[in-house]
Amino acid sequence: MEMEALQASLNVALSRSILNMQASLASQLINGSTAGAAAPATQTDPARAAGLAAEGIGTRLDAVA
């Protein structure tokens, strides 16, 4: 029983860490700050559009207010 509790707590800690990382990456993507990018990607960039689609995010985020 103790081993199960330890494994469950490790699973929770790992899940939290992964969710925090995903939230941070999504925030950076939405705010337009990408690490190591020489120039901002444009809406016509097929690699970026594919990456956004893979994450379930549309390309309309490129609109500048």
Side-chain angles (χ1 to χ4, degrees):
M1 183 68 175
E2 189 173 314
M3 186 62 156
E4 291 174 4
L6 176 62
Q7 189 171 17
S9 69
L10 287 174
N11 285 339
V12 168
L14 184 59
S15 295
R16 180 178 180 197
S17 176
I18 291 169
L19 289 172
N20 283 339
M21 183 182 68
Q22 288 178 337
S24 174
L25 291 173
S27 174
Q28 289 175 7
L29 177 65
I30 290 169
N31 292 330
S33 63
T34 53
T42 63
Q43 203 169 9
T44 57
D45 183 9
R48 182 162 189 253
L52 290 171
E55 292 296 321
I57 301 171
T59 56
R60 292 185 182 194
L61 292 176
D62 290 326
V64 177

